[in-house]
Amino acid sequence: MTESVILDVAYEGDDLFVGRVFKNKHDCKVKIVVHAINRRFSYKNERSNYDLVVVRCVPDACPWRAYVARMEDSEYFQVRTATLVHSCPVDVRSQFHHQATTSVISEIMRSRYAGSGRGPNPIGVIRAMLQEHSVNMSYWKAWRARELAIESVKGSDADSYSLPAYLHLLKAANSGTVASI
């Protein structure tokens, strides 16, 4: 059981299916948004609490729905039941780009800021989101998403000046070292 959970968690695609496992609730919510953006539909949170996420398509008549619950004694969330077909007209689903918040865009773009490269500038983020996900956004939204992506990959500027943490690591690595502020 544990091995299958680990394999499911390693899957980074945007497909939803019964049995799909997410790393945590945040990962679950981001992957559902990316799923909706890529399939060009809007959904709303029907219910969400510490142990549960229930989402459904915006039109009440549409059967699309996903029920995701926390797995016992873990941070993992698993899709328990899902109806993944739409019966609503395409024009009703056209507001999908509203779900592309700065935090979601930063999660999508995060891999582009890993490593030693600088990653795309805000104009590059706008172009990438438009080409890959058909989402148009303002320069400000792209700039903020870029900053969040860089911070999640490389840490914040304030964190890099955390002297007490550095002194603790210095003492731990070199026994007998005395360091104080």
Side-chain angles (χ1 to χ4, degrees), residues 127-181:
R127 285 186 187 132
M129 288 300 294
L130 189 57
Q131 289 173 352
E132 297 169 20
H133 302 284
S134 301
V135 173
N136 199 2
M137 70 183 84
S138 68
Y139 184 89
W140 166 248
K141 192 176 204 177
W143 181 83
R144 183 68 187 130
R146 177 184 183 272
E147 293 298 311
L148 287 172
I150 291 171
E151 188 174 314
S152 72
V153 170
K154 299 182 179 185
S156 70
D157 293 338
D159 290 344
S160 48
Y161 290 103
S162 179
L163 196 53
Y166 173 74
L167 294 179
H168 173 72
L169 292 173
L170 184 66
K171 288 187 225 178
N174 302 305
S175 60
T177 300
V178 176
S180 66
I181 297 178

Side-chain angles (χ1 to χ4, degrees), residues 57-133:
C57 192
V58 172
D60 291 332
C62 183
W64 189 95
R65 185 172 192 258
Y67 177 91
V68 187
R70 178 186 299 276
M71 296 177 72
E72 191 173 324
D73 298 327
S74 74
E75 290 294 310
Y76 298 135
F77 275 70
Q78 183 177 33
V79 178
R80 298 289 169 85
T81 60
T83 304
L84 302 174
V85 291
H86 288 278
S87 65
C88 53
V90 175
D91 61 330
V92 173
R93 296 189 262 158
S94 65
Q95 300 300 313
F96 68 92
H97 62 279
H98 291 294
Q99 292 170 326
T101 62
T102 54
S103 60
V104 170
I105 295 166
S106 73
E107 289 290 327
I108 292 170
M109 301 302 290
R110 187 170 57 161
S111 64
R112 298 176 190 210
Y113 294 98
S116 61
R118 291 178 45 204
N121 61 13
I123 298 296
V125 171
I126 292 170
R127 285 186 187 132
M129 288 300 294
L130 189 57
Q131 289 173 352
E132 297 169 20
H133 302 284

